[in-house]
Amino acid sequence: MHRTLRWIKRCINAHKRPTEQNLFGIVQGGLDPQLRDTCVKGMVALDLPGYAIGGLAGGEEKDSFWRVVAQCTAGLPEDKPRYVMGVGFPLDIVVCSALGADMYDCVYPTRTARFGTALVPEGVLKLKHASMAADFRPLDETCSCMVCKRYTRSYLHSLVTKEAMGSQLVSYHNVAYMMKLSRDLHHSILEGRFPEFVQGFLRKQFPQGDVPEWVCNAMEVAGIDISMCCAPLK
Amino acid sequence: MKLVVRYRCGECRARAGLLYLGNRSHVLETPCLLLCTRKGLPTFIPPDLLPSIHPDALALHASPLHFFDSPSAKTLASAGGLHKLISLPGYTVAAIARDFVCIAEHGSSNKIGASFQTPFGRRTVKPVDYMDVINAMQPDIWASLPDEVPSWVTHKRNKQSVERTLNWLDSCISLKKDGMESGLGCIVGGNSVEERGFCAQEVAKRDVSGFCLSGFGLGESAEERGLLLEAIMKNLPDEKARQISGLDLPEEVLQAVSAGIDVFDSTYPHSLTMSGLAMVFPLDMEECLSGRTSENANDVGSDFTKINLRAVAYRNDTSPILESCRCYTCSKHTKAYINHLLNTHEMLAQTLLDIHNTHHYMNFFQAIRNAIQGGYFADFKAWFASRRQAVNEGILVSSAA
């Protein structure tokens, strides 16, 4: 964390094109709230065009992950972009967006496509599974991408992991899915129906109501009521 | 299927024309090139990019051998045929059992069926299984199941392959679904002029829509090929289409066009792509002879046919593969970028190379058709051969050779 603060100052000094390029500082500090606090304050003092939240998406417990994101978004300026690096799963993106993050990057959609997994509103579709061989539906009935318009799960089942075209087509759909998710988040916030969007999203992913505890906790802090999506505790 | 010959070369058997398919909904200008595919779709070029490769890029070669595992004939039938499965209804599909994925194992074939080494193991394909797939595919063009052998087999094995191929042709014809077009009859015979001639005569007697010249590109020399083609052609009716598989190099294509071939399926663009090579041979005879094109003498290791984009020399080369090329790759990207993609093992390298190589090869076929139509095909072929000769003799040499 300290090294990162030293390096951002060196980066700023060495940056020759500050009016053409946006140099974001990355907040580090692991899972330690005090280190994170020091780093956020140090970054904010430098008045950068935007801030990234780094050091996450490394397989840490989700319960720790969301708390760090929440702490950082609370401490970073409201009027500058917050970029959570390496996130991620659609669920993680929805949670981080609820906590106030704006930008994401991740290899997940394309990497999982190469291994034969398609992203759908219900979660994931494992195309290698034998049941897909005779499934003549598109990947996602609600998706309007080129792949869902043309191809069935059955054909894609025969292509994935064996043909380069399989990687291409499933990647295409997965990227389209992520783009749609971003658009939907964006419009639902603008139109004042973000909580409803989150509720709909969680219902689709967890039809039995088994929303993970960390999501419930995070949404509580974010001020989004998802009680209707969660099955009553035993 | 109906071939209408419109132009002929005065000095050889080359002809240019139109191939009408189905209920005249598809028309191909011949001599034409079929694009190679895996399980129905091109290897690296997704369906939404196909139209941009070339206006002629509308005909696919789909090998029936890809449909013996997954997707199966049953899946094809449920989908309503290959056109529906791959979602390319306006395209011409030719089903011919010769491709770069499944390799014929002439040593394991027997009188029951032909043996192939496939990604899903060794398979013996009987005519009845073969026609199951053909009937399920509903292709616009299809060929019978041949017993292909390379040029070095014994005389006995060669005769056996002719006998089997004719038997299997008769089986395929009888197993064809009602309402489907008759197929191309496969002609084998290895390196024997007598067997080739005999097989051609026999196939010509059957109810076929055209002829599939099998067993080429399997070890015969260019001289031998010329004699074998002549032995076949003089026994075939002029008005039926002739298709050949297994030829790659431009010179081989020119030789076959000269002999009267109309339809080609070739894996040449694909095999260049897989080696990180890009086609650069000039196509415009007039431009080249007048010295108006500038062949870049700095192309390292170039034989003016292709360049190796893995070469370190291209690391900072911000020019396109070919200045005069209007394909997507040459319009948008540089040799330096493709060199980088190859080094970082990104699939985009193969996609970009495939687009360029396919585009260039299709342009080559257009140049052939133009030459036949314009009455200068013999000159065009001679010019091409002289360039290769010049390279071999070191007259056309790159500065780094």
Side-chain angles (χ1 to χ4, degrees), chain B residues 26-51:
Chain B
H26 300 181
V27 183
L28 298 178
E29 286 183 32
T30 60
C32 69
L33 173 69
L34 304 172
L35 303 184
C36 66
T37 61
R38 294 178 69 114
K39 298 190 177 178
L41 283 177
T43 317
F44 297 110
I45 305 170
D48 55 336
L49 294 188
L50 271 176

PDB file of all heavy atoms in Angstrom, chain B residues 26-51:
ATOM      1  N   HIS B  26     -29.348 -20.639 -56.268  1.00  0.00           N
ATOM      2  CA  HIS B  26     -27.936 -20.351 -56.091  1.00  0.00           C
ATOM      3  C   HIS B  26     -27.250 -20.428 -57.434  1.00  0.00           C
ATOM      4  O   HIS B  26     -27.476 -21.361 -58.188  1.00  0.00           O
ATOM      5  CB  HIS B  26     -27.260 -21.399 -55.194  1.00  0.00           C
ATOM      6  CG  HIS B  26     -27.838 -21.493 -53.817  1.00  0.00           C
ATOM      7  ND1 HIS B  26     -27.349 -22.348 -52.866  1.00  0.00           N
ATOM      8  CD2 HIS B  26     -28.852 -20.844 -53.224  1.00  0.00           C
ATOM      9  CE1 HIS B  26     -28.042 -22.217 -51.759  1.00  0.00           C
ATOM     10  NE2 HIS B  26     -28.960 -21.329 -51.948  1.00  0.00           N
ATOM     11  N   VAL B  27     -26.379 -19.466 -57.707  1.00  0.00           N
ATOM     12  CA  VAL B  27     -25.577 -19.506 -58.926  1.00  0.00           C
ATOM     13  C   VAL B  27     -24.125 -19.276 -58.550  1.00  0.00           C
ATOM     14  O   VAL B  27     -23.820 -18.344 -57.816  1.00  0.00           O
ATOM     15  CB  VAL B  27     -26.004 -18.397 -59.921  1.00  0.00           C
ATOM     16  CG1 VAL B  27     -25.199 -18.524 -61.202  1.00  0.00           C
ATOM     17  CG2 VAL B  27     -27.477 -18.471 -60.211  1.00  0.00           C
ATOM     18  N   LEU B  28     -23.242 -20.140 -59.029  1.00  0.00           N
ATOM     19  CA  LEU B  28     -21.813 -19.946 -58.781  1.00  0.00           C
ATOM     20  C   LEU B  28     -21.120 -19.690 -60.103  1.00  0.00           C
ATOM     21  O   LEU B  28     -21.395 -20.365 -61.090  1.00  0.00           O
ATOM     22  CB  LEU B  28     -21.197 -21.196 -58.140  1.00  0.00           C
ATOM     23  CG  LEU B  28     -21.721 -21.626 -56.761  1.00  0.00           C
ATOM     24  CD1 LEU B  28     -21.037 -22.908 -56.324  1.00  0.00           C
ATOM     25  CD2 LEU B  28     -21.478 -20.532 -55.744  1.00  0.00           C
ATOM     26  N   GLU B  29     -20.198 -18.715 -60.108  1.00  0.00           N
ATOM     27  CA  GLU B  29     -19.389 -18.492 -61.310  1.00  0.00           C
ATOM     28  C   GLU B  29     -18.212 -19.449 -61.265  1.00  0.00           C
ATOM     29  O   GLU B  29     -17.491 -19.491 -60.279  1.00  0.00           O
ATOM     30  CB  GLU B  29     -18.856 -17.056 -61.325  1.00  0.00           C
ATOM     31  CG  GLU B  29     -19.905 -16.014 -61.646  1.00  0.00           C
ATOM     32  CD  GLU B  29     -19.293 -14.621 -61.726  1.00  0.00           C
ATOM     33  OE1 GLU B  29     -18.121 -14.497 -62.128  1.00  0.00           O
ATOM     34  OE2 GLU B  29     -19.992 -13.659 -61.363  1.00  0.00           O
ATOM     35  N   THR B  30     -18.006 -20.182 -62.346  1.00  0.00           N
ATOM     36  CA  THR B  30     -16.915 -21.164 -62.345  1.00  0.00           C
ATOM     37  C   THR B  30     -15.796 -20.698 -63.273  1.00  0.00           C
ATOM     38  O   THR B  30     -16.072 -19.955 -64.222  1.00  0.00           O
ATOM     39  CB  THR B  30     -17.423 -22.537 -62.837  1.00  0.00           C
ATOM     40  OG1 THR B  30     -17.927 -22.387 -64.165  1.00  0.00           O
ATOM     41  CG2 THR B  30     -18.518 -23.050 -61.926  1.00  0.00           C
ATOM     42  N   PRO B  31     -14.537 -21.138 -63.038  1.00  0.00           N
ATOM     43  CA  PRO B  31     -14.080 -21.984 -61.927  1.00  0.00           C
ATOM     44  C   PRO B  31     -14.262 -21.265 -60.586  1.00  0.00           C
ATOM     45  O   PRO B  31     -14.006 -20.079 -60.488  1.00  0.00           O
ATOM     46  CB  PRO B  31     -12.593 -22.197 -62.228  1.00  0.00           C
ATOM     47  CG  PRO B  31     -12.409 -21.891 -63.667  1.00  0.00           C
ATOM     48  CD  PRO B  31     -13.446 -20.862 -63.994  1.00  0.00           C
ATOM     49  N   CYS B  32     -14.725 -22.009 -59.585  1.00  0.00           N
ATOM     50  CA  CYS B  32     -15.008 -21.379 -58.302  1.00  0.00           C
ATOM     51  C   CYS B  32     -14.319 -22.115 -57.167  1.00  0.00           C
ATOM     52  O   CYS B  32     -13.903 -23.263 -57.293  1.00  0.00           O
ATOM     53  CB  CYS B  32     -16.507 -21.315 -58.050  1.00  0.00           C
ATOM     54  SG  CYS B  32     -17.245 -22.901 -57.754  1.00  0.00           S
ATOM     55  N   LEU B  33     -14.242 -21.419 -56.024  1.00  0.00           N
ATOM     56  CA  LEU B  33     -13.574 -21.930 -54.837  1.00  0.00           C
ATOM     57  C   LEU B  33     -14.592 -22.112 -53.719  1.00  0.00           C
ATOM     58  O   LEU B  33     -15.393 -21.212 -53.457  1.00  0.00           O
ATOM     59  CB  LEU B  33     -12.500 -20.942 -54.370  1.00  0.00           C
ATOM     60  CG  LEU B  33     -11.817 -21.261 -53.038  1.00  0.00           C
ATOM     61  CD1 LEU B  33     -10.932 -22.483 -53.163  1.00  0.00           C
ATOM     62  CD2 LEU B  33     -10.991 -20.063 -52.570  1.00  0.00           C
ATOM     63  N   LEU B  34     -14.561 -23.277 -53.067  1.00  0.00           N
ATOM     64  CA  LEU B  34     -15.392 -23.522 -51.894  1.00  0.00           C
ATOM     65  C   LEU B  34     -14.547 -23.261 -50.650  1.00  0.00           C
ATOM     66  O   LEU B  34     -13.387 -23.646 -50.597  1.00  0.00           O
ATOM     67  CB  LEU B  34     -15.868 -24.973 -51.868  1.00  0.00           C
ATOM     68  CG  LEU B  34     -16.619 -25.474 -53.098  1.00  0.00           C
ATOM     69  CD1 LEU B  34     -16.841 -26.975 -52.999  1.00  0.00           C
ATOM     70  CD2 LEU B  34     -17.941 -24.753 -53.242  1.00  0.00           C
ATOM     71  N   LEU B  35     -15.128 -22.608 -49.646  1.00  0.00           N
ATOM     72  CA  LEU B  35     -14.393 -22.328 -48.418  1.00  0.00           C
ATOM     73  C   LEU B  35     -14.428 -23.535 -47.485  1.00  0.00           C
ATOM     74  O   LEU B  35     -15.476 -24.149 -47.320  1.00  0.00           O
ATOM     75  CB  LEU B  35     -15.017 -21.128 -47.694  1.00  0.00           C
ATOM     76  CG  LEU B  35     -15.103 -19.833 -48.487  1.00  0.00           C
ATOM     77  CD1 LEU B  35     -15.637 -18.721 -47.614  1.00  0.00           C
ATOM     78  CD2 LEU B  35     -13.742 -19.444 -49.030  1.00  0.00           C
ATOM     79  N   CYS B  36     -13.290 -23.826 -46.868  1.00  0.00           N
ATOM     80  CA  CYS B  36     -13.259 -25.007 -46.007  1.00  0.00           C
ATOM     81  C   CYS B  36     -13.863 -24.682 -44.644  1.00  0.00           C
ATOM     82  O   CYS B  36     -13.803 -23.551 -44.179  1.00  0.00           O
ATOM     83  CB  CYS B  36     -11.852 -25.579 -45.882  1.00  0.00           C
ATOM     84  SG  CYS B  36     -10.673 -24.526 -45.044  1.00  0.00           S
ATOM     85  N   THR B  37     -14.484 -25.690 -44.049  1.00  0.00           N
ATOM     86  CA  THR B  37     -15.200 -25.491 -42.787  1.00  0.00           C
ATOM     87  C   THR B  37     -14.910 -26.634 -41.825  1.00  0.00           C
ATOM     88  O   THR B  37     -14.378 -27.676 -42.212  1.00  0.00           O
ATOM     89  CB  THR B  37     -16.725 -25.473 -43.023  1.00  0.00           C
ATOM     90  OG1 THR B  37     -17.114 -26.744 -43.564  1.00  0.00           O
ATOM     91  CG2 THR B  37     -17.138 -24.362 -43.961  1.00  0.00           C
ATOM     92  N   ARG B  38     -15.263 -26.397 -40.562  1.00  0.00           N
ATOM     93  CA  ARG B  38     -15.210 -27.454 -39.550  1.00  0.00           C
ATOM     94  C   ARG B  38     -16.591 -27.517 -38.915  1.00  0.00           C
ATOM     95  O   ARG B  38     -17.042 -26.520 -38.359  1.00  0.00           O
ATOM     96  CB  ARG B  38     -14.160 -27.131 -38.487  1.00  0.00           C
ATOM     97  CG  ARG B  38     -12.732 -27.129 -38.984  1.00  0.00           C
ATOM     98  CD  ARG B  38     -11.780 -26.760 -37.866  1.00  0.00           C
ATOM     99  NE  ARG B  38     -11.726 -27.803 -36.864  1.00  0.00           N
ATOM    100  CZ  ARG B  38     -10.645 -28.550 -36.600  1.00  0.00           C
ATOM    101  NH1 ARG B  38      -9.548 -28.369 -37.277  1.00  0.00           N
ATOM    102  NH2 ARG B  38     -10.682 -29.469 -35.658  1.00  0.00           N
ATOM    103  N   LYS B  39     -17.233 -28.663 -39.016  1.00  0.00           N
ATOM    104  CA  LYS B  39     -18.590 -28.837 -38.493  1.00  0.00           C
ATOM    105  C   LYS B  39     -19.533 -27.784 -39.066  1.00  0.00           C
ATOM    106  O   LYS B  39     -20.447 -27.323 -38.406  1.00  0.00           O
ATOM    107  CB  LYS B  39     -18.606 -28.790 -36.950  1.00  0.00           C
ATOM    108  CG  LYS B  39     -17.791 -29.920 -36.330  1.00  0.00           C
ATOM    109  CD  LYS B  39     -17.998 -30.036 -34.847  1.00  0.00           C
ATOM    110  CE  LYS B  39     -17.210 -31.235 -34.303  1.00  0.00           C
ATOM    111  NZ  LYS B  39     -17.307 -31.417 -32.868  1.00  0.00           N
ATOM    112  N   GLY B  40     -19.269 -27.414 -40.301  1.00  0.00           N
ATOM    113  CA  GLY B  40     -20.196 -26.540 -40.998  1.00  0.00           C
ATOM    114  C   GLY B  40     -19.796 -25.084 -41.069  1.00  0.00           C
ATOM    115  O   GLY B  40     -20.146 -24.394 -42.020  1.00  0.00           O
ATOM    116  N   LEU B  41     -19.077 -24.602 -40.059  1.00  0.00           N
ATOM    117  CA  LEU B  41     -18.709 -23.186 -40.078  1.00  0.00           C
ATOM    118  C   LEU B  41     -17.223 -23.023 -40.360  1.00  0.00           C
ATOM    119  O   LEU B  41     -16.434 -23.898 -40.027  1.00  0.00           O
ATOM    120  CB  LEU B  41     -19.039 -22.524 -38.730  1.00  0.00           C
ATOM    121  CG  LEU B  41     -20.502 -22.192 -38.486  1.00  0.00           C
ATOM    122  CD1 LEU B  41     -20.682 -21.624 -37.082  1.00  0.00           C
ATOM    123  CD2 LEU B  41     -21.014 -21.196 -39.510  1.00  0.00           C
ATOM    124  N   PRO B  42     -16.823 -21.891 -40.955  1.00  0.00           N
ATOM    125  CA  PRO B  42     -15.389 -21.674 -41.175  1.00  0.00           C
ATOM    126  C   PRO B  42     -14.642 -21.756 -39.846  1.00  0.00           C
ATOM    127  O   PRO B  42     -15.206 -21.541 -38.793  1.00  0.00           O
ATOM    128  CB  PRO B  42     -15.337 -20.256 -41.743  1.00  0.00           C
ATOM    129  CG  PRO B  42     -16.680 -20.024 -42.329  1.00  0.00           C
ATOM    130  CD  PRO B  42     -17.638 -20.802 -41.486  1.00  0.00           C
ATOM    131  N   THR B  43     -13.339 -22.057 -39.941  1.00  0.00           N
ATOM    132  CA  THR B  43     -12.556 -22.289 -38.728  1.00  0.00           C
ATOM    133  C   THR B  43     -12.475 -21.058 -37.849  1.00  0.00           C
ATOM    134  O   THR B  43     -12.662 -21.132 -36.637  1.00  0.00           O
ATOM    135  CB  THR B  43     -11.135 -22.728 -39.100  1.00  0.00           C
ATOM    136  OG1 THR B  43     -11.204 -23.658 -40.158  1.00  0.00           O
ATOM    137  CG2 THR B  43     -10.442 -23.363 -37.919  1.00  0.00           C
ATOM    138  N   PHE B  44     -12.160 -19.908 -38.462  1.00  0.00           N
ATOM    139  CA  PHE B  44     -11.894 -18.717 -37.663  1.00  0.00           C
ATOM    140  C   PHE B  44     -12.782 -17.520 -37.985  1.00  0.00           C
ATOM    141  O   PHE B  44     -12.737 -16.527 -37.266  1.00  0.00           O
ATOM    142  CB  PHE B  44     -10.435 -18.264 -37.852  1.00  0.00           C
ATOM    143  CG  PHE B  44      -9.431 -19.267 -37.384  1.00  0.00           C
ATOM    144  CD1 PHE B  44      -8.635 -19.947 -38.293  1.00  0.00           C
ATOM    145  CD2 PHE B  44      -9.283 -19.554 -36.043  1.00  0.00           C
ATOM    146  CE1 PHE B  44      -7.706 -20.887 -37.869  1.00  0.00           C
ATOM    147  CE2 PHE B  44      -8.363 -20.497 -35.601  1.00  0.00           C
ATOM    148  CZ  PHE B  44      -7.567 -21.164 -36.517  1.00  0.00           C
ATOM    149  N   ILE B  45     -13.553 -17.609 -39.067  1.00  0.00           N
ATOM    150  CA  ILE B  45     -14.305 -16.434 -39.482  1.00  0.00           C
ATOM    151  C   ILE B  45     -15.769 -16.632 -39.124  1.00  0.00           C
ATOM    152  O   ILE B  45     -16.445 -17.487 -39.687  1.00  0.00           O
ATOM    153  CB  ILE B  45     -14.156 -16.190 -40.999  1.00  0.00           C
ATOM    154  CG1 ILE B  45     -12.668 -16.100 -41.358  1.00  0.00           C
ATOM    155  CG2 ILE B  45     -14.869 -14.913 -41.403  1.00  0.00           C
ATOM    156  CD1 ILE B  45     -12.415 -16.107 -42.839  1.00  0.00           C
ATOM    157  N   PRO B  46     -16.291 -15.839 -38.167  1.00  0.00           N
ATOM    158  CA  PRO B  46     -17.683 -16.030 -37.761  1.00  0.00           C
ATOM    159  C   PRO B  46     -18.634 -15.616 -38.871  1.00  0.00           C
ATOM    160  O   PRO B  46     -18.269 -14.861 -39.765  1.00  0.00           O
ATOM    161  CB  PRO B  46     -17.824 -15.114 -36.536  1.00  0.00           C
ATOM    162  CG  PRO B  46     -16.717 -14.151 -36.624  1.00  0.00           C
ATOM    163  CD  PRO B  46     -15.618 -14.776 -37.424  1.00  0.00           C
ATOM    164  N   PRO B  47     -19.889 -16.108 -38.812  1.00  0.00           N
ATOM    165  CA  PRO B  47     -20.823 -15.921 -39.923  1.00  0.00           C
ATOM    166  C   PRO B  47     -21.135 -14.467 -40.237  1.00  0.00           C
ATOM    167  O   PRO B  47     -21.426 -14.144 -41.380  1.00  0.00           O
ATOM    168  CB  PRO B  47     -22.083 -16.658 -39.458  1.00  0.00           C
ATOM    169  CG  PRO B  47     -21.918 -16.861 -38.003  1.00  0.00           C
ATOM    170  CD  PRO B  47     -20.466 -16.921 -37.742  1.00  0.00           C
ATOM    171  N   ASP B  48     -21.046 -13.581 -39.207  1.00  0.00           N
ATOM    172  CA  ASP B  48     -21.374 -12.187 -39.512  1.00  0.00           C
ATOM    173  C   ASP B  48     -20.257 -11.483 -40.266  1.00  0.00           C
ATOM    174  O   ASP B  48     -20.473 -10.418 -40.840  1.00  0.00           O
ATOM    175  CB  ASP B  48     -21.731 -11.419 -38.229  1.00  0.00           C
ATOM    176  CG  ASP B  48     -20.636 -11.507 -37.181  1.00  0.00           C
ATOM    177  OD1 ASP B  48     -19.858 -12.472 -37.217  1.00  0.00           O
ATOM    178  OD2 ASP B  48     -20.560 -10.617 -36.322  1.00  0.00           O
ATOM    179  N   LEU B  49     -19.064 -12.061 -40.305  1.00  0.00           N
ATOM    180  CA  LEU B  49     -17.957 -11.451 -41.048  1.00  0.00           C
ATOM    181  C   LEU B  49     -17.809 -12.021 -42.458  1.00  0.00           C
ATOM    182  O   LEU B  49     -17.103 -11.458 -43.286  1.00  0.00           O
ATOM    183  CB  LEU B  49     -16.629 -11.658 -40.316  1.00  0.00           C
ATOM    184  CG  LEU B  49     -16.453 -10.958 -38.976  1.00  0.00           C
ATOM    185  CD1 LEU B  49     -15.010 -11.118 -38.509  1.00  0.00           C
ATOM    186  CD2 LEU B  49     -16.794  -9.480 -39.072  1.00  0.00           C
ATOM    187  N   LEU B  50     -18.465 -13.155 -42.725  1.00  0.00           N
ATOM    188  CA  LEU B  50     -18.291 -13.808 -44.028  1.00  0.00           C
ATOM    189  C   LEU B  50     -18.621 -12.915 -45.220  1.00  0.00           C
ATOM    190  O   LEU B  50     -17.868 -12.882 -46.180  1.00  0.00           O
ATOM    191  CB  LEU B  50     -19.145 -15.081 -44.099  1.00  0.00           C
ATOM    192  CG  LEU B  50     -18.487 -16.368 -43.606  1.00  0.00           C
ATOM    193  CD1 LEU B  50     -19.487 -17.512 -43.646  1.00  0.00           C
ATOM    194  CD2 LEU B  50     -17.275 -16.709 -44.465  1.00  0.00           C
ATOM    195  N   PRO B  51     -19.765 -12.198 -45.193  1.00  0.00           N
ATOM    196  CA  PRO B  51     -20.092 -11.402 -46.385  1.00  0.00           C
ATOM    197  C   PRO B  51     -19.026 -10.374 -46.734  1.00  0.00           C
ATOM    198  O   PRO B  51     -18.863 -10.020 -47.892  1.00  0.00           O
ATOM    199  CB  PRO B  51     -21.404 -10.705 -45.983  1.00  0.00           C
ATOM    200  CG  PRO B  51     -21.976 -11.536 -44.913  1.00  0.00           C
ATOM    201  CD  PRO B  51     -20.818 -12.129 -44.177  1.00  0.00           C
TER     202      PRO B  51
END
